[in-house]
Amino acid sequence: MYPISDLTAFCRKTTGDVPPQLVGASTTVVGSKMYLYGGCLAFERRMVSDIYTFDFETFVWERLNQHPEDDVPTARYFHSANIWRSYLIIFGGRSIKPQSEAIEALCVLNDIRMFDITTGHWLPSSITTSETSPLSFIPTARFAHLSSVSADRLYIIGGQDLALDLLDDLYIYDLAAKVWLQRREYSRHCSTYRSVAVTPDVHVHLPQEESSSTSSPTSDIGIAGTRFKVNGAAPTPSVTRPDSLVHLPYSKALTSDHPCDIFVFSNHNFTDVQREFQVISPLSDGDIAVSDRSNTMTGTSFPPGLRFPTGAVLGTYFIVAGTYISHTYQSFSIWALDLLDMSWIRIDRGSALATGSWFRSCLWSTQNKLLVFGDKNGNLVEDYDRRLLNWDYVTSIDLEAFGIYQPPSPIINIRSQELGLAALEEGVLADFEIICNDDRRIKCSRKLLEERWPWFKEQHRLFAQSVLAYLRVGPPDLFGVDDQRRQRPDPRLTPRSFCLSEPYPVALALVQYFYSTALITPLQRAPAVLSQLLLLSSIYDLTHLQSLVKQAMHQALSNATSAGIYSVATLCSCRSLQIRALRVVIASSQKRPAGARPQKDKDRTSTSQNHTNVQDDIAGRPRTYGNDGENLSSEAHTRVRSRGMSDTSDIRGSAEADDPSLWESTNELPRENTITAQAITREEQRILTLNASVVSALEDLFSWRFKDRTSRMSVLSPVESWRFRRALYRIWLISYVYGMEGHYLKRPTMPWFARTVSEDSDSEKWLNEQKEVLDTFLAAELRQIESVVKFLQIIADWAVTAHFKSSIDQDWDYLGGMMAADYGLLGGVLSQNHAESAMSRTLRQTDFNTLMDALFDSKSEKYAQWSKEDWICLDCYQEFISETMPIWWLKRKRSGKSLLYQTIMLDFNPFCVDGIPIMPDCRHGYYCRKQIGTAGLEHATMFNVGTPTLHY
């Protein structure tokens, strides 16, 4: 089996001006490029001051030509490099003494140099040298130190001096004023050999925590439903409650007023690894606060001792990577620390980094990728001994596939988001309508749609252009010369409306996004709606919406939702989300409770996936591709809908089919087009008319069962509806013509049928004939037919055992027809006792909704994580009911609620728990003489080997 970890990492050979092997060079990421500066040539033992750039998108190196008139810094290595605005900030390092040619004549530096990456020039050293700074605030010369930039200030932490002694101090430099501000003691010994300091590029805000700790940012915008009302007008009914709105975490640029913390990670004593984690928080008065969070780190496993670690912050995760070397094992290891709960997780690097020499990593935050440089053919131990950095190969690791990503930035603030939603719900400036596929309409503002929906704006421009073209008078337009040159607008667009061809909930959620530029309503967060929004974001190229939907799906990803998320992520080419969902699908199948055996067939791997795949086989590629893979334009949608919404379209033929010659006997089986080409009789018309309501009801049930549990009416798109109905009519047709029922029917109105299947046909012949007909369909059509057949089988099984007296307001009613819930589920021989028959009578008087609520209240520790809102397969639910029913029944008897049980046992009460008779068990029932007389409870429980924990 191909490892999933290899889907998240791939190795590429770099090209261009590839740098030589270096020691102690610095790397700094700016956008989609990395800047490499300085270092010592490995084999020449010569220090350089060269600058290289690496393009993350093209994997090409480029050496920058430095201007000879510039004040180029002294060549150095083991220095620090950071980015501030458009400047590359270089501090300290180790170098050769001035005017000395001896390699051994080393010195240590403490200067600050700036390189302008926009102009390609070095700033003169006189600009960055602060003569006004107090001497005590100027750091001593050092190398192998840590550095970070936050709020226009450079922080220099620890390092080593020329004597290789570790330094325990921290200095702060004002990059704007070019002056050293402060020195303070730092009790930890830090160096690049064992430590790393990181500051995130952006700050991640958690709206829910902010609203709980402070007053709501939307508390001043008025009461919902009245925010745009004047003169005491009545509030708008049916508005979204403010307390139901959920705001996703979002990223926000750093400011001097709200600087980001500096995270410092250290590990030392590699034989018995000690890990430290400190947070340096810049304060508004220019001071800093240092907090030690070393003791709060948790996890099932922790990072090993990492040498020369590199780090980064992505979203709410601190990422650290480095070289792990022991006597028996060596590797490049990557770990992530969740800064919210301080738990460690290991990033599976895959086979790409399993061999070779890898040492330096950097983060491409905009793409959620970690890039690792090295040599896939090198030797890690040998290169580590010489401290060599190789740049010939780069491995890209997709962090989003592990749930580590940068939350998207908001377009407008939270207050404006809720005001935008209020404007939609209160109908402010509504001069346009979105028409759904069920003819329900959503009033909105055309101007707002144009501003926030580029595709709609372009289509409206084309529409206005076409109208003006037809209003002009001239020969070219009269003869239609320009028609082929001119791009035509979408035919679904009119001056006052647009037919979106989507179910009402999906269309409303999309319009809510356009008004709020966020996913904040419960409707938008529903799994089925999220799937459709992801598809729409791909179709209409709505990048911000796609990023929000992917974020919501990452948060909603669970064992119950993983299969559906995997399917829609595959359709929309969201590779990272697809891989992560696949991980959860595989993990959930491996952790399936004992006894739940997935049913397998040739097209599906398990019953739990069938719930999604059945609908996917009907849906295929909704709105984008047809059932055979053809591209469906909006005009094709119209054609598909006109056929799919007609209940007789697949059977109705032309008048030429009245020709009796078509009824003559033939040696070939009639194909679908032969059958549908014949004129239908009045009796067939009557049957089709009656069946039309059945088709609609089945479609509603199919949609409710596999697409949207919140809607009792079908929310299938036109293409999905057409595929479902076509498959259903084909099943009926094949069953009628080539089934056993047709063999016994004598219908003079269909003589071709009577002559095709003879009286002495056996079942094998009928199956062969059905197979020959099915072989004429395409693979996609066969999958659709298979999906509907399985759906009909589920409905048939349910109809046999369903509790018809139950209401149909919740999903449990449908489940009630599929699950066995009887006193036969009691373990051991309890089900043989006459007294336990009271359970069967209790179940008959209890609707399935109430029963499932009670079972979830009685669930064992095994199902502690289960919720009634989860999507769980039938096998797992059956096992849950079987294992929880005895616990519920015992609790019910002990609580005194089982009156039938008390009535049966009124005359026999040798044992009592809390005043309610709880009887021991025996295979002969409660009236066993041995049990009553001498042996008692021991005699009863020896037969209950099936439920040792539930002996009464």
mmCIF file of all heavy atoms in Angstrom, residues 68 132 325 372 397 510 574 607 626 687 812:
data_model
loop_
_atom_site.group_PDB
_atom_site.id
_atom_site.type_symbol
_atom_site.label_atom_id
_atom_site.label_comp_id
_atom_site.label_asym_id
_atom_site.label_seq_id
_atom_site.Cartn_x
_atom_site.Cartn_y
_atom_site.Cartn_z
ATOM 1 N N PRO A 68 29.537 47.317 -6.370
ATOM 2 C CA PRO A 68 30.899 47.541 -5.819
ATOM 3 C C PRO A 68 31.010 48.803 -4.984
ATOM 4 O O PRO A 68 31.875 48.886 -4.098
ATOM 5 C CB PRO A 68 31.766 47.626 -7.083
ATOM 6 C CG PRO A 68 30.827 47.976 -8.187
ATOM 7 C CD PRO A 68 29.517 47.348 -7.828
ATOM 8 N N THR A 132 24.802 57.195 20.073
ATOM 9 C CA THR A 132 24.098 57.797 21.212
ATOM 10 C C THR A 132 23.622 56.759 22.217
ATOM 11 O O THR A 132 23.152 57.128 23.297
ATOM 12 C CB THR A 132 22.880 58.593 20.710
ATOM 13 O OG1 THR A 132 21.993 57.708 20.014
ATOM 14 C CG2 THR A 132 23.318 59.698 19.761
ATOM 15 N N ILE A 325 20.400 12.673 16.209
ATOM 16 C CA ILE A 325 21.493 11.721 16.021
ATOM 17 C C ILE A 325 21.692 10.944 17.316
ATOM 18 O O ILE A 325 21.855 11.536 18.395
ATOM 19 C CB ILE A 325 22.801 12.431 15.626
ATOM 20 C CG1 ILE A 325 22.648 13.108 14.267
ATOM 21 C CG2 ILE A 325 23.968 11.449 15.593
ATOM 22 C CD1 ILE A 325 23.894 13.834 13.796
ATOM 23 N N VAL A 372 12.537 21.871 3.262
ATOM 24 C CA VAL A 372 13.756 21.358 3.899
ATOM 25 C C VAL A 372 14.826 21.207 2.826
ATOM 26 O O VAL A 372 14.592 20.549 1.797
ATOM 27 C CB VAL A 372 13.500 20.017 4.601
ATOM 28 C CG1 VAL A 372 14.751 19.568 5.351
ATOM 29 C CG2 VAL A 372 12.317 20.118 5.555
ATOM 30 N N ILE A 397 6.988 19.895 2.350
ATOM 31 C CA ILE A 397 6.072 19.137 3.207
ATOM 32 C C ILE A 397 4.808 19.956 3.400
ATOM 33 O O ILE A 397 4.850 21.111 3.823
ATOM 34 C CB ILE A 397 6.720 18.825 4.565
ATOM 35 C CG1 ILE A 397 7.987 17.999 4.353
ATOM 36 C CG2 ILE A 397 5.748 18.083 5.475
ATOM 37 C CD1 ILE A 397 8.757 17.745 5.614
ATOM 38 N N LEU A 510 -24.724 31.135 0.297
ATOM 39 C CA LEU A 510 -23.808 31.862 -0.577
ATOM 40 C C LEU A 510 -24.074 33.368 -0.516
ATOM 41 O O LEU A 510 -23.127 34.171 -0.431
ATOM 42 C CB LEU A 510 -23.959 31.360 -2.014
ATOM 43 C CG LEU A 510 -23.052 32.021 -3.055
ATOM 44 C CD1 LEU A 510 -21.588 31.736 -2.751
ATOM 45 C CD2 LEU A 510 -23.417 31.552 -4.462
ATOM 46 N N CYS A 574 -8.777 20.139 -3.706
ATOM 47 C CA CYS A 574 -8.203 20.658 -2.461
ATOM 48 C C CYS A 574 -7.356 19.546 -1.843
ATOM 49 O O CYS A 574 -7.812 18.801 -0.963
ATOM 50 C CB CYS A 574 -9.303 21.114 -1.503
ATOM 51 S SG CYS A 574 -10.327 22.449 -2.157
ATOM 52 N N THR A 607 -19.395 0.151 4.740
ATOM 53 C CA THR A 607 -20.745 0.694 4.827
ATOM 54 C C THR A 607 -20.736 2.145 5.255
ATOM 55 O O THR A 607 -21.549 2.944 4.808
ATOM 56 C CB THR A 607 -21.558 -0.137 5.843
ATOM 57 O OG1 THR A 607 -21.526 -1.495 5.421
ATOM 58 C CG2 THR A 607 -22.983 0.338 5.925
ATOM 59 N N GLY A 626 -21.245 16.266 -16.717
ATOM 60 C CA GLY A 626 -22.379 15.379 -16.898
ATOM 61 C C GLY A 626 -22.043 13.984 -16.453
ATOM 62 O O GLY A 626 -20.945 13.694 -15.993
ATOM 63 N N ILE A 687 -50.451 4.766 -15.507
ATOM 64 C CA ILE A 687 -49.488 4.239 -14.538
ATOM 65 C C ILE A 687 -48.358 5.244 -14.308
ATOM 66 O O ILE A 687 -47.935 5.481 -13.167
ATOM 67 C CB ILE A 687 -48.933 2.890 -15.031
ATOM 68 C CG1 ILE A 687 -50.054 1.845 -15.068
ATOM 69 C CG2 ILE A 687 -47.794 2.419 -14.140
ATOM 70 C CD1 ILE A 687 -49.619 0.519 -15.651
ATOM 71 N N TRP A 812 -34.063 9.812 13.824
ATOM 72 C CA TRP A 812 -34.174 8.560 14.562
ATOM 73 C C TRP A 812 -35.351 7.718 14.059
ATOM 74 O O TRP A 812 -35.323 6.497 14.154
ATOM 75 C CB TRP A 812 -34.356 8.845 16.055
ATOM 76 C CG TRP A 812 -33.226 9.592 16.673
ATOM 77 C CD1 TRP A 812 -33.296 10.770 17.326
ATOM 78 C CD2 TRP A 812 -31.844 9.221 16.683
ATOM 79 N NE1 TRP A 812 -32.051 11.159 17.750
ATOM 80 C CE2 TRP A 812 -31.136 10.227 17.375
ATOM 81 C CE3 TRP A 812 -31.137 8.129 16.178
ATOM 82 C CZ2 TRP A 812 -29.763 10.167 17.570
ATOM 83 C CZ3 TRP A 812 -29.759 8.082 16.364
ATOM 84 C CH2 TRP A 812 -29.094 9.086 17.054
#
